[in-house]
Amino acid sequence: MKENSLYDKKSIREITCKNVDWDEIVKDCVAFSNAQGGIIDYGIEDDCNEPPLGQIVSDSLKTVLINKIAGKTVGVNTNGEIITHDNGAQYLRLNIFRGNNVASTTSGKYFLRISDNSTPITGDDITRLSAEKGYFRWEDQASKWSWKDADKEKLRSLIEKLRFSDRVSDFVKQKEEKELLDHFFLTEEESDNMTNLGVLFIGTQS
């Protein structure tokens, strides 16, 4: 997969070498969180599309990565999963979720994912981003209609596309239907109501 505003890939050495550059790692996490969220695959070299043969990733490495990020960022929400490629080798997928508030490092630095770069932002850019995060988001507001009354064919088609998309992680694909809809802001987590965005995607026409 090509690196872009939603995806990055890095050598496993980035998180296993003797002197790990944690500042660089959390910079990317903050940048993704302040944009639309994203994925970083650790264990795939820049010029490759798969992990090197024989590569194994331990659960302890995943735990260290998640804990380090949590301790060095503010407002960043992540999880990790170890994925086995078709060639039998493993890599570590880090999922960074879109933040509802502006994220930063614990040292007070702010970044934003633009194209395939994690770009530092300051001053007016931070103010503008804060305002955008605080805007009333019509599409996220709950409607009065339940997802159980959605257009059955539209719902089936959407779920199928999500489960077979190469841009959706295996961790997300394994979720139940309602959890998938919650994850993509198509339903309210605390109820069966569709959001306005959900109505646009899977609602029925009166």
Side-chain angles (χ1 to χ4, degrees):
M1 188 184 297
K2 187 177 180 180
E3 295 176 339
N4 53 42
S5 63
L6 298 172
Y7 178 76
D8 203 352
K9 58 184 176 181
K10 298 180 181 294
S11 168
I12 198 71
R13 293 189 298 275
E14 296 275 344
I15 53 175
T16 58
C17 66
K18 185 176 180 180
N19 297 308
V20 176
D21 189 349
W22 291 109
D23 289 342
E24 187 69 18
I25 291 170
V26 299
K27 176 186 79 172
D28 290 331
C29 294
V30 168
F32 276 119
S33 179
N34 281 333
Q36 297 300 312
I39 291 171
I40 303 176
D41 282 339
Y42 287 99
I44 301 180
E45 304 289 336
D46 281 341
D47 57 348
C48 299
N49 291 317
E50 58 186 45
L53 292 175
Q55 179 171 272
I56 300 296
V57 179
S58 67
D59 281 323
S60 60
L61 181 61
K62 178 180 69 174
T63 301
V64 168
L65 178 63
I66 297 299
N67 288 344
K68 283 286 188 179
I69 292 169
K72 290 179 173 289
T73 60
V74 177
V76 174
N77 184 20
T78 65
N79 68 36
E81 54 183 325
I82 297 172
I83 298 177
T84 301
H85 192 270
D86 291 341
N87 68 3
Q90 295 180 330
Y91 60 97
L92 175 54
R93 170 160 290 180
L94 180 68
N95 299 292
I96 305 111
F97 300 106
R98 181 183 71 179
N100 292 324
N101 300 302
V102 179
S104 71
T105 66
T106 51
S107 60
K109 295 180 180 179
Y110 298 81
F111 302 90
L112 183 65
R113 189 73 176 180
I114 301 174
S115 185
D116 59 351
N117 294 308
S118 297
T119 304
I121 57 174
T122 58
D124 290 344
D125 290 330
I126 297 174
T127 301
R128 189 177 304 112
L129 180 61
S130 298
E132 290 173 357
K133 292 280 186 180
Y135 278 163
F136 174 81
R137 294 176 56 86
W138 174 86
E139 63 269 28
D140 290 346
Q141 301 305 302
S143 74
K144 62 182 180 181
W145 294 286
S146 169
W147 74 276
K148 296 178 181 179
D149 298 323
D151 184 300
K152 297 298 187 291
E153 180 56 30
K154 287 181 182 177
L155 177 61
R156 183 202 62 77
S157 176
L158 175 65
I159 296 297
E160 184 177 273
K161 288 176 181 177
L162 291 174
R163 295 201 191 284
F164 285 94
S165 172
D166 60 4
R167 299 185 68 178
V168 177
S169 73
D170 290 339
F171 174 81
V172 174
K173 289 178 182 179
Q174 292 169 5
K175 293 178 179 290
E176 299 293 333
E177 277 191 0
K178 178 58 166 62
E179 293 176 324
L180 266 178
L181 296 175
D182 288 344
H183 182 80
F184 289 102
F185 304 100
L186 299 173
T187 51
E188 271 197 323
E189 289 189 22
E190 61 271 19
S191 76
D192 285 334
N193 289 353
M194 290 183 284
T195 61
N196 289 328
L197 182 64
V199 173
L200 290 176
F201 270 89
I202 57 175
T204 57
Q205 187 171 5
S206 60

